[in-house]
Amino acid sequence: MKIGIVGAAGRMGLANIRQVIQTPGLELAGAIERPDAAELGKDAGLLAGIDKLGIAITSDPVALFKASDAVIDFTRPEPTLAFAALAAEHAKIHVIGTTGFEPTQIDRLKRFGGKARIVHSPNMSLCVNLLFALVKQAAAALDDSFDIEILEMHHRHKVDAPSGPALA
């Protein structure tokens, strides 16, 4: 399966590049960044701390979607919506780990899901997704007399707060 990465020079983008290269059956189809990114033209593998792959970071999302079977996206809401439109246009799989969406943006994302296979989660961790299910069960068992508070801590590079998992 050919995988494209958007936001390729970010922390998750680089981790996704490494994971694609290390996973049998997956091939890195391409990697893109913003048009003003300093990483444009650099080798995706070298940026990710692995061997040179001969795949330069570009800023062309149309070419990326055409070359990929699936695209992994951990960017920001507005670019993610533009990428979801491309996924719908090209009938591609769009795996989204982006957080910070407004309700109207989620509605737009759902509409694109009619033409593309979209997988969206505010957190891709198996443990966090298990926690989502357990919290739902606990909330259903408690009445309004319980006072529940959510506390979260993040690394200093965290872009959105509260985080997607905390909101979920």
Side-chain angles (χ1 to χ4, degrees), residues 13-143:
L14 295 171
N16 287 329
I17 290 170
R18 289 189 293 273
Q19 190 62 52
V20 167
I21 297 305
Q22 295 169 1
T23 303
L26 298 184
E27 174 186 334
L28 186 66
I32 64 169
E33 258 304 333
R34 298 177 322 275
D36 63 343
E39 295 84 3
L40 292 179
K42 295 183 179 177
D43 186 87
L46 293 177
L47 267 178
I50 53 179
D51 293 334
K52 185 174 182 176
L53 299 174
I55 298 173
I57 303 287
T58 73
S59 62
D60 186 353
V62 173
L64 181 75
F65 275 85
K66 284 182 178 179
S68 303
D69 298 315
V71 173
I72 301 174
D73 177 358
F74 282 74
T75 58
R76 294 185 186 242
E78 282 304 320
T80 292
L81 289 169
F83 298 137
L86 284 172
E89 180 182 336
H90 297 283
K92 302 292 180 159
I93 300 166
H94 190 191
V95 178
I96 303 168
T98 302
T99 59
F101 288 101
E102 298 293 329
T104 56
Q105 293 173 316
I106 292 291
D107 290 342
R108 286 179 58 203
L109 197 57
K110 287 178 182 178
R111 285 196 299 273
F112 291 126
K115 295 185 179 181
R117 288 176 278 173
I118 294 179
V119 177
H120 174 237
S121 178
N123 191 290
M124 297 294 173
S125 162
L126 175 61
C127 291
V128 171
N129 280 279
L130 176 60
L131 181 62
F132 289 158
L134 294 172
V135 167
K136 188 175 184 178
Q137 284 182 327
L142 303 175
D143 61 32

Side-chain angles (χ1 to χ4, degrees), residues 149-160:
E149 185 175 351
I150 298 173
L151 301 173
E152 64 175 338
M153 293 183 350
H154 294 283
H155 52 81
R156 64 180 178 206
H157 302 292
K158 182 73 176 131
V159 177
D160 61 329

